[in-house]
């Protein structure tokens, strides 16, 4: 992690495979190698069967909006987003309906998004950043 861009793997490395996946254009989620349960956020042991060191699997970065919020202030001053922006909680059917939080790409005060709308992930690396970020975009079929 750089001081200029404060995102990236945690100091204990538990989520490094997630960030490595973003660099390779993949969304990777934890999945227990023993009981096959999907896990999010990253953990050292499966919360279901208590197996240590769950594995990581790529999943399709597509899902539906479970919830959303429009923000008029930056929650991370170093994150270059135009204000206002829309944060979405996306449910991923390919990952056992686990939900991940992210920013809706190129959203503003006029953006219309609804719970249940389909979204797809984009891997966006800001100039000078070591690690890309996963952003979400409303699928063209629901563009209003």
């Amino acid at each position: 992690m750089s001081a200029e861009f404060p995102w990236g793997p945690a100091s204990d490395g538990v989520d490094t495979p997630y960030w490595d996946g973003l660099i390779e254009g993949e969304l990777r989620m934890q999945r227990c190698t023993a009981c096959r349960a999907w896990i999010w956020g990253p953990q050292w042991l499966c919360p279901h069967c208590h197996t240590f060191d769950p594995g990581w699997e790529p999943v399709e970065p597509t899902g539906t909006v479970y919830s959303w919020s429009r923000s008029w202030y930056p929650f991370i001053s170093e994150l270059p987003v135009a204000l206002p922006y829309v944060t979405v909680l996306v449910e991923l059917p390919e990952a056992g309906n686990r939900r991940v939080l992210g920013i809706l790409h190129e959203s503003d005060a006029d953006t219309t998004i609804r719970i249940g709308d389909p979204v797809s992930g984009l891997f966006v690396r800001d100039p000078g950043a070591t690690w890309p970020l996963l952003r979400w975009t409303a699928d063209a079929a629901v563009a209003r």
Side-chain angles (χ1 to χ4, degrees):
M1 241 186 313
S2 73
E4 185 178 355
F5 298 99
W7 57 88
S11 60
D12 66 1
V14 68
D15 60 351
T16 298
Y18 167 82
W19 293 98
D20 288 343
L22 295 184
I23 286 176
E24 295 174 22
E26 286 184 338
L27 172 57
R28 294 181 187 162
M29 303 284 290
Q30 269 189 319
R31 191 168 194 187
C32 181
T33 55
C35 74
R36 305 300 294 152
W38 289 98
I39 304 164
W40 189 257
Q43 300 178 36
W44 288 113
L45 73 110
C46 175
H48 304 281
C49 72
H50 307 291
T51 298
F52 282 93
D53 197 26
W56 289 84
E57 294 184 16
V59 297
E60 192 66 32
T62 58
T64 57
V65 175
Y66 184 82
S67 184
W68 65 273
S69 175
R70 190 176 326 273
S71 296
W72 296 83
Y73 57 91
F75 63 88
I76 299 175
S77 61
E78 298 85 1
L79 189 58
V81 294
L83 297 174
Y85 57 91
V86 174
T87 303
V88 289
L89 183 60
V90 176
E91 190 169 72
L92 302 169
E94 197 173 300
N97 292 323
R98 289 296 175 260
R99 299 175 192 136
V100 296
L101 193 62
I103 294 174
L104 191 65
H105 190 62
E106 297 181 352
S107 57
D108 59 23
D110 297 323
T111 299
T112 301
I113 192 80
R114 294 188 179 112
I115 293 171
D117 280 353
V119 290
S120 297
L122 298 171
F123 303 97
V124 178
R125 188 184 306 206
D126 292 317
T130 303
W131 303 96
L133 295 173
L134 177 61
R135 301 280 177 92
W136 296 95
T137 184
D139 287 351
V142 297
R144 299 182 217 317

